[in-house]
């Protein structure tokens, strides 16, 4: 799945993302860079508008995987910033969904 396909799908289902308390969603890694292969998963960084539990996080993951039709990984800003492998927005390989930099407003 390429970046534009992911952005289009998420734009069309923004109302459903809000049901999971998603405030902001970031797309990062190979899909955001348009370097994904057929084996690539889709990586998301999600910010919530309220505290959420594990069931909400797992429900969102399942929903995203069903929607995009492939594996998805998600993390929160705290997880990504504290992870040595995670680059986050400052690492240069992320695309904020809803940012004017990407020209795509979702959340």
């Amino acid at each position: 799945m390429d970046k534009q396909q992911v952005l289009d799908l998420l734009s069309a289902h923004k109302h459903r993302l809000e049901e999971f308390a998603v405030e902001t969603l970031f797309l990062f890694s190979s899909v955001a860079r348009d370097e994904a292969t057929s084996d690539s998963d889709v990586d998301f960084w999600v910010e919530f508008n309220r505290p959420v539990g594990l069931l909400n996080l797992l429900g969102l993951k399942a929903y995203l995987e069903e929607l995009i039709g492939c594996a998805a990984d998600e993390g929160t800003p705290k997880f990504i910033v504290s992870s040595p492998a995670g680059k986050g927005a400052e690492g240069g390989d992320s695309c904020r969904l809803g940012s004017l930099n990407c020209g795509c407003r979702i959340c």
Side-chain angles (χ1 to χ4, degrees):
M1 176 155 297
D2 69 29
K3 178 171 74 174
Q4 194 58 53
Q5 289 173 308
V6 172
L7 297 176
D8 291 345
L9 275 172
L10 294 174
S11 290
H13 295 88
K14 180 181 177 182
H15 65 283
R16 184 71 170 106
L17 295 173
E18 292 169 351
E19 294 175 16
F20 287 99
V22 172
E23 182 167 323
T24 308
L25 198 61
F26 295 80
L27 175 66
F28 69 102
S29 200
S30 62
V31 175
R33 294 187 309 265
D34 279 327
E35 297 174 355
T37 68
S38 59
D39 295 329
S40 295
D41 63 358
V42 180
D43 298 298
F44 295 101
W45 170 358
V46 60
E47 294 175 340
F48 296 99
N49 58 22
R50 62 176 168 77
V52 298
L54 181 60
L55 290 178
N56 189 75
L57 194 62
L58 293 175
L60 176 60
K61 176 181 173 60
Y63 174 73
L64 290 170
E65 288 180 339
E66 182 179 329
L67 182 66
I68 61 178
C70 67
D73 287 327
E74 58 187 44
T76 62
K78 181 178 179 182
F79 169 78
I80 293 174
V81 170
S82 66
S83 170
K87 294 181 181 178
E90 295 76 35
D93 68 347
S94 64
C95 173
R96 181 176 179 160
L97 304 185
S99 165
L100 294 177
N101 294 342
C102 295
C104 48
R105 181 151 185 83
I106 294 178
C107 300

